[in-house]
Amino acid sequence: MGARMAGGQAMTARRIDARARFLPVGDTAFAVEFGDRIDPAINALVHRTAALLAEARPEGLVETVPSFRSLLVHYDPLRTSAQALQAFIGALELEDEAGQAPPRIWRIPVLYGGEAGPDLTEVAAATGLSAAEVIALHAGTLYRVYVQGFLPGFAYLGDLPEALDLPRRTSPRVRVPPGSVAIAQRMSGIYPVESPGGWHLIGNTPLRFFDPARTPPTLFTPGDGVRFVPVGADEHAAIREDVAQGRFVPDVEGAPA
């Protein structure tokens, strides 16, 4: 076990086998489970483990798939065994990352309400808040990119303020416009492309979150921070035009100069 200083605070490293449990998942995979709840510190351990394995590339590792609280590890049984790979992973050391600021924070412009956010009024009524209070709460929160999934570039952003915690819509929409900013069950998200969806739509951003021609193709990376910045209709339209022309550069706190 080792310790180092980060941001003036001591950080303690512990072996993974002292932090997690290994669960079998069929004949060629197992899960490394770090906890039983959605928590930023647990999620940080998941993604740090995935990064360490990507760097180490142990014999027989095929791929890893991170989730909110566990890492799914696929392996080739002709080149390694679950026991051998678990022993390798278990000996890796991870540092506590609770309380650390995200490496970068994206500032995402959002036009709230109206056609851009058709569920804002219903969300306000369901939560007992005014529309302005819903916007202030949603935009006043620093979110963490926990995982990406469902659609390419769709990021699950937590943690939504408890006052805005609502179940998904009872009747999902067949088509949700790209850029729709939505909430459900202590999460916020942005639909990267037109798709079906059952979350509550409260706004829209003109930014693009998935582009197969870009490297990497997704805008966010797990562990990033996200802030939503309210904008008016004119600014939203101007940014959309700049995005279409390839002129818009997203505002990112903590990005290298």
Side-chain angles (χ1 to χ4, degrees), residues 33-60:
E33 187 177 80
F34 288 93
D36 58 1
R37 66 190 187 280
I38 297 176
D39 177 272
I42 290 173
N43 188 248
L45 296 176
V46 171
H47 290 292
R48 182 58 185 146
T49 301
L52 288 175
L53 288 174
E55 294 170 6
R57 301 176 64 183
E59 176 70 20

Side-chain angles (χ1 to χ4, degrees), residues 13 17 24 29 63 81 90 94 99-100 103 108-109 141 149 177 181 188 198 204 207 210 218 227 229 236 247 252 256:
D17 57 13
E63 68 171 344
S81 66
L94 294 177
Q100 290 194 71
I108 305 300
T141 300
V181 177
S188 190
N204 182 275
L207 303 194
F210 177 72
T218 58
R227 292 189 189 277
V229 181
H236 181 273
R247 298 189 299 257
V252 186

Side-chain angles (χ1 to χ4, degrees), residues 8 11 23 35 45 50 62 85 88 93 99 111 127 145 150-151 168 178 184 186 190 194 207 209-210 235 248-249 254:
M11 298 180 65
L23 303 173
L45 296 176
V62 175
L85 194 51
F88 179 90
E93 290 191 341
L111 174 61
T127 57
V145 179
F150 168 58
L151 294 166
R168 300 180 185 216
R186 298 301 302 275
I190 307 166
E194 183 182 276
L207 303 194
F209 297 89
F210 177 72
E235 186 174 359
F248 186 80
V249 178

Side-chain angles (χ1 to χ4, degrees), residues 149-243:
F150 168 58
L151 294 166
F154 185 95
Y156 289 83
L157 309 175
D159 295 294
L160 189 72
E162 188 174 354
L164 299 180
D165 184 10
L166 293 174
R168 300 180 185 216
R169 289 173 53 87
T170 55
S171 299
R173 288 181 170 87
V174 176
R175 290 177 180 160
V176 173
S180 291
V181 177
I183 61 172
Q185 297 175 322
R186 298 301 302 275
M187 289 281 153
S188 190
I190 307 166
Y191 287 84
V193 295
E194 183 182 276
S195 72
W199 290 24
H200 306 275
L201 310 184
I202 62 172
N204 182 275
T205 177
L207 303 194
R208 293 175 178 170
F209 297 89
F210 177 72
D211 182 352
R214 186 171 57 200
T215 303
T218 58
L219 188 64
F220 298 149
T221 297
D224 283 352
V226 175
R227 292 189 189 277
F228 293 105
V229 181
V231 299
D234 290 345
E235 186 174 359
H236 181 273
I239 294 173
R240 183 180 295 279
E241 176 63 21
D242 285 344
V243 169

Side-chain angles (χ1 to χ4, degrees), residues 85-130:
L85 194 51
Q86 287 173 13
F88 179 90
I89 295 171
L92 297 174
E93 290 191 341
L94 294 177
E95 295 169 338
D96 291 309
E97 298 189 28
Q100 290 194 71
R104 58 183 178 177
I105 300 173
W106 299 87
R107 293 173 57 84
I108 305 300
V110 179
L111 174 61
Y112 286 95
E115 292 184 4
D119 296 332
L120 178 62
T121 301
E122 292 182 10
V123 168
T127 57
L129 302 169
S130 68

